[in-house]
Amino acid sequence: MKFVFISKKRDETIKLGEKLGNCLKKGDIVTLTGDLGAGKTTLVSGMAKALKIKEKVISPTFNILKCYFKAKIPLYHIDAYRLEDTNKDIGLEEYIEGNGIAVIEWPIYIKELLNVKHLEIKIINKGGDKREITFITPNKYYENIIRSVLK
């Protein structure tokens, strides 16, 4: 199933992330794809807001993993961009299959770790603050979440 949402401003993208964050549970996995600057971290900051995370959400590009433990549910924000040509055996599966919510940017670089059900989100920058945000899942559980988010 595929659902498309058009966000016309940054605040709408954050609000969408917040609605999504309110629907997610421990063990959920969300993958984010989109070019640099597409709004992936903006969407995650909305999810963090829903999870009562007080820290500023920043892209974990240089760290690969940013954990937010002081939250309603722990949030594991993974950016696999720098793992394209490296050994992927660095323990990420502990977070992907862990007791929190795993959000993974650039999932293509760790696809061998993603053999579990997850929600895929593609973000396309349409110019200015406008974004096309597409939710994709063959899974009924995530389909129900998307329907709740987009009400």
Side-chain angles (χ1 to χ4, degrees):
M1 187 62 61
K2 184 188 281 191
F3 301 85
V4 178
F5 178 83
I6 302 296
S7 171
K8 296 182 181 106
K9 49 189 174 178
R10 186 177 192 279
D11 288 345
E12 285 182 359
T13 302
I14 292 171
K15 183 74 79 185
L16 181 69
E18 190 174 357
K19 289 172 84 174
L20 178 59
N22 279 321
C23 294
L24 296 173
K25 297 179 177 23
K26 286 182 180 182
D28 285 348
I29 301 167
V30 177
T31 63
L32 298 174
T33 58
D35 291 334
L36 294 172
K40 298 180 297 289
T41 301
T42 300
L43 187 71
V44 176
S45 68
M47 294 167 65
K49 186 175 179 182
L51 298 172
K52 309 294 185 221
I53 294 169
K54 303 289 184 214
E55 292 176 67
K56 181 178 175 159
V57 174
I58 57 172
S59 179
T61 300
F62 297 106
N63 301 333
I64 300 173
L65 171 66
K66 178 79 172 123
C67 299
Y68 300 93
F69 293 111
K70 292 181 181 176
K72 189 167 70 172
I73 301 170
L75 177 66
Y76 309 122
H77 188 185
I78 299 166
D79 187 327
Y81 185 75
R82 292 179 50 229
L83 298 176
E84 180 179 11
D85 295 319
T86 64
N87 178 3
K88 281 117 174 122
D89 189 20
I90 59 173
L92 289 178
E93 54 278 332
E94 292 178 36
Y95 297 96
I96 293 169
E97 299 170 8
N99 66 343
I101 297 167
V103 179
I104 306 162
E105 297 185 28
W106 301 96
I108 191 166
Y109 298 130
I110 58 168
K111 61 184 173 215
E112 62 277 2
L113 300 178
L114 292 173
N115 55 0
V116 293
K117 296 175 191 160
H118 61 278
L119 172 60
E120 179 182 353
I121 301 175
K122 293 182 179 183
I123 304 175
I124 299 172
N125 184 339
K126 295 296 211 174
D129 286 340
K130 188 175 180 182
R131 302 293 186 265
E132 179 182 283
I133 303 169
T134 305
F135 298 84
I136 304 164
T137 184
N139 180 285
K140 197 73 165 164
Y141 169 75
Y142 287 115
E143 186 178 316
N144 289 334
I145 288 175
I146 297 166
R147 288 185 194 284
S148 293
V149 168
L150 297 180
K151 272 188 195 174

